[in-house]
Amino acid sequence: MLSYTLKRILNAVVVLWFVITITFFLMHAIPGGPFTGEKNLPPAVMKNIEERYKLNDPLWKQYTDYMVNLGHLDLGPSFKYQGRSVNNIIAEGFPVSFQLGMNSIVLAVVLGIPAGVISALKRNKWQDRTIMFLTTLGVAVPSFVLAAALIHVFAIKLSLLPAAMWSGWKFQILPSVALAGMPTSYIARLTRSSMLDVLGQDYIKTAKAKGVAQYVIMYRHALKNGLIPVVTYIGPMAAGILTGSFVIETLFAIPGLGRHFVTSIYNRDYTVILGVTIFYSFLVVALNMLVDLIYPLLDPRIKLGGKQEG
């Protein structure tokens, strides 16, 4: 267990290094810079700005300096937000994105897994067809379309919920539902597919032949194994949701991390792009490691760092 965890941590460090390096050099390979679009800046002023942020240093030196600062957990200053560091931007925006993301993840899991189980148990019946129709719709309809529809119905027509901003639990309902739409549908479909596969296994048929109660077969035997693909999907899905959705945050005027990330790309704000990319990559790697550690709890036959037992 310890050896496996250490190997995963080492692999994670290598992956993060590759992400940082590739992102850094790709950004600098694009013509222009963070201050290229500034209007009517005299050459002397531009030179002073570049010296201040060390943009006129050789690229290898900029990369080395950045990696050294990163070793001290310093993501550097923002080029566009005067007087603000990338650490401060992430610290300010991530809690909002995290709260929105957690709301959406809980909704997706609480609604998606039971829907998938019901659909599998009622295969080819009206319950199954209804759930599959709704989940197909949920996968096909983009989150911004769902968000616009929710705003139109519940905020404008019915005046039940606020249409924008982030102040109190009522403001969280519409964006959380809009962001949870697609993950809920994926989880329901994954759960249904996996449950149908598990329910067809020999050990399930044997349990049924022995007269084991249906709910015991479902919750003690089938559901644990059936959730393995779902847990695999939830890891990277959670990382993406927790770091924020630019579209949802923009539509609902939510001051989260996703909006900063896309804005930084438009502004060519190198340090913010790198900082958020590193933060996102770290979450993906950490959550994938957590998923691997959860596998043996769902299926004791799975051994970390080894083969699955027969």
Short mmCIF file of all heavy atoms in Angstrom, two decimals, residues 136-150 177-183 185 245 247-248 251:
data_model
loop_
_atom_site.label_atom_id
_atom_site.label_comp_id
_atom_site.label_asym_id
_atom_site.label_seq_id
_atom_site.Cartn_x
_atom_site.Cartn_y
_atom_site.Cartn_z
N THR A 136 -30.52 11.01 -22.03
CA THR A 136 -30.05 11.36 -23.38
C THR A 136 -30.21 12.85 -23.62
O THR A 136 -29.32 13.50 -24.20
CB THR A 136 -30.84 10.58 -24.45
OG1 THR A 136 -30.68 9.18 -24.23
CG2 THR A 136 -30.34 10.92 -25.85
N LEU A 137 -31.32 13.39 -23.16
CA LEU A 137 -31.55 14.83 -23.27
C LEU A 137 -30.51 15.59 -22.45
O LEU A 137 -29.97 16.61 -22.89
CB LEU A 137 -32.96 15.16 -22.77
CG LEU A 137 -33.63 16.43 -23.29
CD1 LEU A 137 -33.80 16.37 -24.80
CD2 LEU A 137 -34.98 16.62 -22.61
N GLY A 138 -30.21 15.07 -21.26
CA GLY A 138 -29.24 15.74 -20.39
C GLY A 138 -27.84 15.75 -20.97
O GLY A 138 -27.10 16.72 -20.78
N VAL A 139 -27.47 14.68 -21.68
CA VAL A 139 -26.16 14.63 -22.31
C VAL A 139 -26.10 15.53 -23.54
O VAL A 139 -25.09 16.17 -23.83
CB VAL A 139 -25.80 13.17 -22.69
CG1 VAL A 139 -24.53 13.12 -23.52
CG2 VAL A 139 -25.64 12.33 -21.43
N ALA A 140 -27.20 15.58 -24.29
CA ALA A 140 -27.23 16.30 -25.56
C ALA A 140 -27.35 17.82 -25.38
O ALA A 140 -26.79 18.59 -26.17
CB ALA A 140 -28.38 15.80 -26.43
N VAL A 141 -28.07 18.24 -24.35
CA VAL A 141 -28.31 19.68 -24.15
C VAL A 141 -27.12 20.30 -23.42
O VAL A 141 -26.79 19.88 -22.30
CB VAL A 141 -29.60 19.90 -23.34
CG1 VAL A 141 -29.79 21.39 -23.04
CG2 VAL A 141 -30.80 19.38 -24.11
N PRO A 142 -26.46 21.29 -24.00
CA PRO A 142 -25.33 21.95 -23.33
C PRO A 142 -25.75 22.64 -22.04
O PRO A 142 -26.92 23.03 -21.89
CB PRO A 142 -24.84 22.97 -24.37
CG PRO A 142 -25.41 22.51 -25.67
CD PRO A 142 -26.70 21.83 -25.35
N SER A 143 -24.82 22.79 -21.13
CA SER A 143 -25.15 23.38 -19.83
C SER A 143 -25.65 24.81 -19.95
O SER A 143 -26.52 25.24 -19.18
CB SER A 143 -23.91 23.34 -18.91
OG SER A 143 -22.83 24.04 -19.50
N PHE A 144 -25.13 25.57 -20.93
CA PHE A 144 -25.57 26.96 -21.05
C PHE A 144 -27.01 27.05 -21.56
O PHE A 144 -27.74 27.99 -21.22
CB PHE A 144 -24.63 27.76 -21.96
CG PHE A 144 -24.61 27.34 -23.40
CD1 PHE A 144 -25.51 27.87 -24.31
CD2 PHE A 144 -23.68 26.42 -23.85
CE1 PHE A 144 -25.48 27.49 -25.64
CE2 PHE A 144 -23.66 26.02 -25.17
CZ PHE A 144 -24.56 26.55 -26.07
N VAL A 145 -27.44 26.07 -22.37
CA VAL A 145 -28.85 26.03 -22.81
C VAL A 145 -29.75 25.70 -21.63
O VAL A 145 -30.80 26.34 -21.43
CB VAL A 145 -29.03 25.01 -23.94
CG1 VAL A 145 -30.51 24.87 -24.31
CG2 VAL A 145 -28.22 25.40 -25.16
N LEU A 146 -29.35 24.71 -20.84
CA LEU A 146 -30.12 24.36 -19.64
C LEU A 146 -30.17 25.53 -18.68
O LEU A 146 -31.23 25.82 -18.10
CB LEU A 146 -29.51 23.14 -18.97
CG LEU A 146 -30.16 22.66 -17.67
CD1 LEU A 146 -31.63 22.32 -17.89
CD2 LEU A 146 -29.41 21.47 -17.09
N ALA A 147 -29.05 26.23 -18.52
CA ALA A 147 -29.00 27.38 -17.61
C ALA A 147 -29.95 28.48 -18.08
O ALA A 147 -30.70 29.06 -17.28
CB ALA A 147 -27.57 27.92 -17.52
N ALA A 148 -29.94 28.77 -19.39
CA ALA A 148 -30.83 29.79 -19.93
C ALA A 148 -32.29 29.41 -19.74
O ALA A 148 -33.14 30.27 -19.40
CB ALA A 148 -30.53 30.02 -21.41
N ALA A 149 -32.61 28.13 -19.94
CA ALA A 149 -33.99 27.67 -19.75
C ALA A 149 -34.42 27.80 -18.29
O ALA A 149 -35.54 28.22 -17.99
CB ALA A 149 -34.12 26.22 -20.22
N LEU A 150 -33.52 27.44 -17.37
CA LEU A 150 -33.84 27.55 -15.95
C LEU A 150 -34.06 29.01 -15.54
O LEU A 150 -34.99 29.31 -14.77
CB LEU A 150 -32.72 26.93 -15.11
CG LEU A 150 -32.55 25.41 -15.20
CD1 LEU A 150 -31.29 24.97 -14.47
CD2 LEU A 150 -33.77 24.70 -14.62
N VAL A 177 -28.04 23.28 -10.37
CA VAL A 177 -28.82 22.36 -11.20
C VAL A 177 -28.32 22.37 -12.63
O VAL A 177 -28.19 21.32 -13.27
CB VAL A 177 -30.32 22.72 -11.14
CG1 VAL A 177 -31.12 21.90 -12.16
CG2 VAL A 177 -30.87 22.50 -9.74
N ALA A 178 -28.03 23.57 -13.15
CA ALA A 178 -27.54 23.67 -14.54
C ALA A 178 -26.21 22.96 -14.71
O ALA A 178 -25.98 22.26 -15.71
CB ALA A 178 -27.40 25.15 -14.92
N LEU A 179 -25.32 23.08 -13.74
CA LEU A 179 -24.01 22.44 -13.82
C LEU A 179 -24.10 20.94 -13.59
O LEU A 179 -23.26 20.18 -14.09
CB LEU A 179 -23.06 23.07 -12.80
CG LEU A 179 -21.58 22.72 -12.89
CD1 LEU A 179 -21.01 23.04 -14.26
CD2 LEU A 179 -20.78 23.47 -11.81
N ALA A 180 -25.12 20.50 -12.87
CA ALA A 180 -25.26 19.07 -12.56
C ALA A 180 -25.97 18.29 -13.65
O ALA A 180 -25.97 17.05 -13.61
CB ALA A 180 -26.02 18.89 -11.24
N GLY A 181 -26.57 18.96 -14.62
CA GLY A 181 -27.38 18.27 -15.62
C GLY A 181 -26.65 17.19 -16.37
O GLY A 181 -27.07 16.01 -16.38
N MET A 182 -25.52 17.54 -16.99
CA MET A 182 -24.79 16.56 -17.79
C MET A 182 -24.14 15.47 -16.93
O MET A 182 -24.25 14.28 -17.26
CB MET A 182 -23.74 17.25 -18.66
CG MET A 182 -23.05 16.34 -19.65
SD MET A 182 -21.94 17.21 -20.78
CE MET A 182 -23.12 18.18 -21.73
N PRO A 183 -23.46 15.80 -15.81
CA PRO A 183 -22.89 14.73 -14.98
C PRO A 183 -23.95 13.76 -14.44
O PRO A 183 -23.70 12.55 -14.37
CB PRO A 183 -22.22 15.49 -13.83
CG PRO A 183 -21.93 16.83 -14.38
CD PRO A 183 -23.04 17.12 -15.33
N SER A 185 -26.69 12.85 -15.90
CA SER A 185 -27.07 11.97 -17.00
C SER A 185 -26.00 10.92 -17.27
O SER A 185 -26.32 9.73 -17.47
CB SER A 185 -27.31 12.81 -18.26
OG SER A 185 -28.33 13.76 -18.04
N SER A 245 -16.98 26.29 -13.79
CA SER A 245 -17.44 26.29 -15.17
C SER A 245 -17.58 27.74 -15.63
O SER A 245 -18.39 28.50 -15.07
CB SER A 245 -18.79 25.56 -15.29
OG SER A 245 -19.37 25.79 -16.55
N VAL A 247 -18.83 29.03 -18.33
CA VAL A 247 -20.13 29.37 -18.91
C VAL A 247 -21.16 29.61 -17.83
O VAL A 247 -21.86 30.63 -17.82
CB VAL A 247 -20.60 28.25 -19.87
CG1 VAL A 247 -22.00 28.53 -20.38
CG2 VAL A 247 -19.64 28.10 -21.03
N ILE A 248 -21.26 28.68 -16.88
CA ILE A 248 -22.24 28.82 -15.81
C ILE A 248 -21.92 30.02 -14.94
O ILE A 248 -22.82 30.80 -14.57
CB ILE A 248 -22.28 27.54 -14.95
CG1 ILE A 248 -22.72 26.34 -15.80
CG2 ILE A 248 -23.22 27.71 -13.76
CD1 ILE A 248 -24.09 26.47 -16.41
N LEU A 251 -22.93 33.19 -16.90
CA LEU A 251 -24.37 33.38 -17.03
C LEU A 251 -25.01 33.84 -15.72
O LEU A 251 -25.93 34.66 -15.72
CB LEU A 251 -25.03 32.09 -17.50
CG LEU A 251 -24.86 31.73 -18.98
CD1 LEU A 251 -25.43 30.35 -19.26
CD2 LEU A 251 -25.53 32.77 -19.87
#
